[in-house]
Amino acid sequence: MVTGASTGIGAATARELAARGFHVLAGVRRNTDADALRAANLEPIMLDITEEAGIAALVQRITDDPERRRLGALVNNAGMGVNAPLETYPLSEWRRLFDVNLFGHVAMMQALLPALIESRGSIVNISSIGGKVAMAAYGPYAATKFALEAVSDALRREVGPLGVRVVVVEPGAVTTGMLGRVNVSGQRIIDEMTAEQRDRYGALMQAVISQAQASVPGGAPPEEAARVIADAITSRRPQTRYTVGRSTALVVRLIRIMSDRMLDKLLANNLKPYLPKRSPA
């Protein structure tokens, strides 16, 4: 079962697993995405992970499988991204973000764990480098990923003795639709700020948008993430965490040894070239 399979990492993972001979249930939210994905070994499932009825229907589909196949793996990939300074992001939006990026995954794991315990299967939670370091204007998104990392650690220790493997995959810059939408969503955040907030954070947001756009050409293709995920599922003894992207593993190593102040300075220096140039007085 792969959630968020309409595009990007989810779609690539569904196709990779199908190519390796698995029958894949691919969660999508639109009929057009289902039609684009449907292929041999690939069965699109209409699914919103924040809706209990859809998850219950999925459990019934797995329980009543006509081929009596067992559920071997759950890939929690569905999610949404946002860039916003903490002060400017409405609390209602925080709750929506956590519903999608955390509580929806928890709901999926609770619903499918009985089947995965029976099959001694795997859970792969797609986190992010944002689950390790929270950059300026990434606070809401990073908060959901930090939380997903904690849930994954606890779950691994709970169900490992029952034979279920729990793996976290931490992509960095990946050339997906989410990365490409930073400009649109970021500009919306700027437009919705008050004048005072725009004065405080407008330049920061413009820099974050420019930095994200600059990372697109050097980003890892979603197929690279898909291969990492599929390898983790098929490994007899997978790692507890995998990174995706050339620079992601380096960043993870750096944050283990750098002080908070050193990391603050490094991140600020990396962002500085993207700050809008001030007009001379």
Side-chain angles (χ1 to χ4, degrees):
M1 177 65 218
V2 180
T3 68
S6 296
T7 59
I9 291 175
T13 299
R15 291 189 175 102
E16 178 69 23
L17 289 168
R20 296 192 189 198
F22 291 92
H23 184 84
V24 181
L25 303 178
V28 298
R29 296 181 61 191
R30 294 181 294 269
N31 288 325
T32 52
D33 295 327
D35 293 339
L37 203 57
R38 191 175 283 107
N41 289 337
L42 235 170
E43 178 184 342
I45 298 286
M46 301 303 292
L47 179 67
D48 182 335
I49 63 171
T50 67
E51 295 182 356
E52 294 181 7
I55 295 177
L58 171 65
V59 172
Q60 198 64 47
R61 161 65 186 84
I62 292 169
T63 302
D64 298 338
D65 185 78
E67 302 294 329
R68 299 185 178 228
R69 291 168 292 218
R70 297 193 300 172
L71 180 66
L74 165 64
V75 180
N76 276 317
N77 170 73
M80 55 188 289
V82 67
N83 294 103
L86 184 146
E87 182 187 352
T88 69
Y89 200 53
L91 195 55
S92 60
E93 294 296 320
W94 279 85
R95 292 192 176 101
R96 171 61 179 163
L97 189 65
F98 267 84
D99 271 344
V100 175
N101 285 7
L102 180 65
F103 300 137
H105 300 322
V106 172
M108 288 291 295
M109 289 184 281
Q110 288 181 337
L112 298 184
L113 263 170
L116 290 166
I117 290 170
E118 181 181 351
S119 68
R120 301 176 73 86
S122 300
I123 295 173
V124 180
N125 287 331
I126 309 304
S127 179
S128 164
I129 187 60
K132 290 297 187 184
V133 57
M135 298 181 291
Y138 282 81
Y141 177 76
T144 65
K145 294 303 184 179
F146 268 72
L148 184 61
E149 298 256 353
V151 166
S152 300
D153 283 341
L155 183 64
R156 186 180 68 250
R157 292 155 187 158
E158 292 164 2
V159 299
L162 303 177
V164 178
R165 296 170 293 279
V166 179
V167 174
V168 173
V169 174
E170 299 163 340
V174 177
T175 54
T176 65
M178 184 181 293
L179 189 61
R181 288 190 293 269
V182 169
N183 183 29
V184 175
S185 61
Q187 190 59 53
R188 177 181 65 82
I189 295 295
I190 294 172
D191 292 342
E192 293 175 355
M193 290 180 187
T194 66
E196 288 183 347
Q197 290 173 342
R198 198 172 298 116
D199 186 57
R200 286 195 283 269
Y201 307 113
L204 168 64
M205 283 298 299
Q206 292 292 351
V208 167
I209 292 169
S210 296
Q211 186 182 51
Q213 290 176 325
S215 72
V216 171
E223 289 76 17
E224 181 178 334
R227 288 190 292 271
V228 170
I229 294 164
D231 287 347
I233 289 172
T234 56
S235 172
R236 295 184 62 183
R237 189 174 173 81
Q239 301 174 32
T240 59
R241 279 176 171 77
Y242 294 84
T243 57
V244 178
R246 289 176 295 179
S247 62
T248 310
L250 175 61
V251 172
V252 170
R253 287 194 294 269
L254 280 176
I255 62 177
R256 289 174 182 163
I257 61 175
M258 296 182 74
S259 70
D260 288 343
R261 296 300 184 193
M262 290 175 62
L263 186 57
D264 290 350
K265 186 174 182 179
L266 175 63
L267 294 175
N269 286 338
N270 286 343
L271 193 61
K272 189 179 296 185
Y274 301 98
L275 290 168
K277 299 293 186 280
R278 291 187 178 182
S279 301

